[in-house]
Amino acid sequence: MPPAIAPAPAQPGLPILIVPDQRLKTRARPVGPADEAKVRALVPQMFAAMYAAPGIGLAAPQVGALLRLTVIDLMEDDKKHPIVLINPEIVAASEELATREEGCLSLPGQYADVTRPARVKVRYLDETGAKREIEGEGLLAACLQHEIDHLDGVLFVDHLSALKRNMILRRLAKERRQAREG
Ligand code: NI
């Protein structure tokens, strides 16, 4: 997810996949013990790509790694608070819903209101392999759900009506075509 106020400069380093890349629609597999070296190498690269974008969340499929791994940093108080979530799972969600504007680094420049549970509890492994839980509301709740969706090949536009989704996808395609044509 990009921050609320998002300029969109170039992205150095690991390229972030853009819709309609099929890897963004693919369910990622759980991280296992054999993935340790890969994850250790990938996490700093994902943070670098996310901070450079700039964004507040990035899921491994967005950089072409079909693993259940995501990084988040809401940059509260303009300070870094990086969180690595390996095999994250939503174990509780509030009945109360909340609507926020969302965007996605894989749909640059596109934003829409998305309604989701207002609070969630997520179980995950941290970068040391320790079992952790995080409870979030507000922006954190939306970000956790948005990033975990990516691991199931779900994008924020998939929560919208077909009409709204197609409008956004057409606009993105048009803007990218215009950017390429200069
Ligand atoms: Ni996203």
Side-chain angles (χ1 to χ4, degrees):
M1 255 172 99
I5 301 161
Q11 294 159 3
L14 218 50
I16 295 173
L17 304 182
I18 306 295
V19 168
D21 193 296
Q22 277 311 298
R23 285 168 286 182
L24 295 168
K25 300 299 292 173
T26 307
R27 193 180 157 82
R29 68 166 175 84
V31 172
D35 300 311
E36 204 185 313
K38 188 172 184 183
V39 167
R40 199 179 303 133
L42 199 55
V43 164
Q45 292 181 303
M46 285 174 62
F47 274 119
M50 184 188 81
Y51 289 129
I56 58 171
L58 185 68
Q62 291 181 276
V63 293
L66 294 174
L67 291 170
R68 303 189 77 80
L69 161 69
T70 176
V71 299
I72 288 176
D73 190 340
L74 302 187
M75 292 291 293
E76 281 172 325
D77 311 317
D78 284 329
K79 290 195 196 85
K80 286 188 178 175
H81 304 282
I83 311 173
V84 177
L85 300 105
I86 296 168
N87 298 338
E89 238 184 296
I90 296 172
V91 292
S94 66
E95 274 180 42
E96 189 196 331
L97 303 177
T99 301
R100 310 183 65 91
E101 185 175 71
E102 295 188 21
C104 181
L105 298 177
S106 294
L107 291 105
Q110 311 304 317
Y111 300 88
D113 281 346
V114 178
T115 301
R116 303 177 182 273
R119 291 177 301 283
V120 289
K121 186 196 281 186
V122 172
R123 206 166 280 161
Y124 66 100
L125 302 175
D126 69 15
E127 64 274 38
T128 71
K131 282 186 189 166
R132 304 279 293 254
E133 256 182 27
I134 185 169
E135 274 189 70
E137 59 178 350
L139 180 59
L140 179 59
C143 192
L144 284 165
Q145 293 173 83
H146 177 118
E147 300 311 330
I148 292 171
D149 267 356
H150 273 299
L151 308 181
D152 293 320
V154 174
L155 302 168
F156 79 89
V157 289
D158 294 321
H159 292 278
L160 308 176
S161 67
L163 185 73
K164 275 192 193 162
R165 177 168 56 249
N166 290 332
M167 226 169 65
I168 289 176
L169 295 177
R170 271 201 302 272
R171 188 165 59 213
L172 175 66
K174 184 180 165 197
E175 285 174 7
R176 292 186 59 75
R177 198 164 55 238
Q178 285 171 344
R180 268 199 307 275
E181 288 163 0

Coordinates of all heavy atoms in Angstrom, one line a residue, residues 1-2 57 62 103-107 146-147 150 155-156, ligand 1:
M1 N 0.8 -1.2 0.0 CA 0.0 0.0 0.0 C 0.9 1.2 0.0 O 1.8 1.3 0.7 CB -0.8 0.0 1.3 CG -2.3 -0.3 1.1 SD -3.1 -0.5 2.7 CE -3.9 1.1 2.8
P2 N 0.5 2.2 -0.8 CA 1.3 3.5 -0.7 C 0.8 4.3 0.5 O -0.2 4.0 1.1 CB 0.9 4.2 -2.0 CG -0.4 3.6 -2.4 CD -0.5 2.3 -1.8
G57 N 3.5 -0.9 2.8 CA 3.4 -2.3 2.8 C 3.8 -2.9 1.5 O 3.5 -2.3 0.4
Q62 N 4.5 -9.3 -5.0 CA 4.6 -8.0 -5.8 C 6.0 -7.8 -6.3 O 6.2 -7.0 -7.2 CB 4.3 -6.8 -4.9 CG 2.8 -6.7 -4.5 CD 2.5 -5.5 -3.7 OE1 2.7 -5.5 -2.5 NE2 2.1 -4.4 -4.3
G103 N -4.7 2.3 -1.9 CA -3.9 2.3 -3.2 C -3.0 1.1 -3.1 O -3.1 0.3 -2.1
C104 N -2.2 0.9 -4.2 CA -1.4 -0.3 -4.2 C -0.2 0.0 -5.1 O -0.4 0.6 -6.2 CB -2.2 -1.5 -4.7 SG -1.2 -3.0 -4.7
L105 N 1.0 -0.4 -4.7 CA 2.2 -0.1 -5.5 C 2.1 -0.9 -6.8 O 2.8 -0.5 -7.8 CB 3.4 -0.5 -4.7 CG 3.7 0.3 -3.4 CD1 4.9 -0.2 -2.7 CD2 3.8 1.8 -3.7
S106 N 1.2 -1.9 -6.9 CA 1.1 -2.7 -8.2 C 0.0 -2.1 -9.0 O -0.2 -2.5 -10.2 CB 0.8 -4.1 -7.8 OG 1.9 -4.7 -7.2
L107 N -0.7 -1.0 -8.5 CA -1.7 -0.3 -9.3 C -1.3 1.2 -9.1 O -2.1 2.0 -8.5 CB -3.1 -0.5 -8.9 CG -3.7 -1.9 -9.2 CD1 -3.8 -2.8 -7.9 CD2 -5.0 -1.8 -9.8
H146 N -4.9 -5.8 3.5 CA -4.4 -5.6 2.1 C -3.2 -6.4 1.7 O -3.2 -7.1 0.6 CB -4.1 -4.1 1.9 CG -3.6 -3.7 0.6 ND1 -4.3 -2.7 -0.2 CD2 -2.5 -4.0 -0.1 CE1 -3.6 -2.6 -1.3 NE2 -2.5 -3.3 -1.3
E147 N -2.2 -6.5 2.6 CA -1.0 -7.2 2.3 C -1.3 -8.7 2.3 O -0.8 -9.5 1.5 CB 0.1 -6.9 3.2 CG 0.5 -5.4 3.2 CD 0.8 -4.8 1.8 OE1 1.2 -5.6 0.9 OE2 0.5 -3.6 1.6
H150 N -2.8 -10.0 -0.8 CA -1.8 -10.2 -1.9 C -1.3 -11.6 -1.9 O -1.0 -12.2 -3.0 CB -0.6 -9.2 -1.7 CG -0.7 -7.9 -2.4 ND1 -1.0 -7.7 -3.7 CD2 -0.7 -6.6 -1.8 CE1 -1.0 -6.4 -4.0 NE2 -0.9 -5.7 -2.8
L155 N -6.3 -8.4 -5.0 CA -5.9 -6.9 -5.0 C -7.1 -6.1 -4.5 O -8.2 -6.6 -4.4 CB -5.7 -6.5 -6.4 CG -4.6 -7.3 -7.1 CD1 -4.6 -7.1 -8.6 CD2 -3.2 -7.1 -6.5
F156 N -6.8 -4.9 -4.0 CA -7.8 -4.1 -3.4 C -9.0 -3.8 -4.4 O -10.2 -3.7 -3.9 CB -7.3 -2.7 -2.8 CG -7.1 -1.6 -3.8 CD1 -8.1 -0.7 -4.2 CD2 -5.8 -1.5 -4.4 CE1 -7.9 0.3 -5.1 CE2 -5.6 -0.4 -5.3 CZ -6.6 0.4 -5.7
Ligands
NI1 NI -0.9 -3.7 -2.6

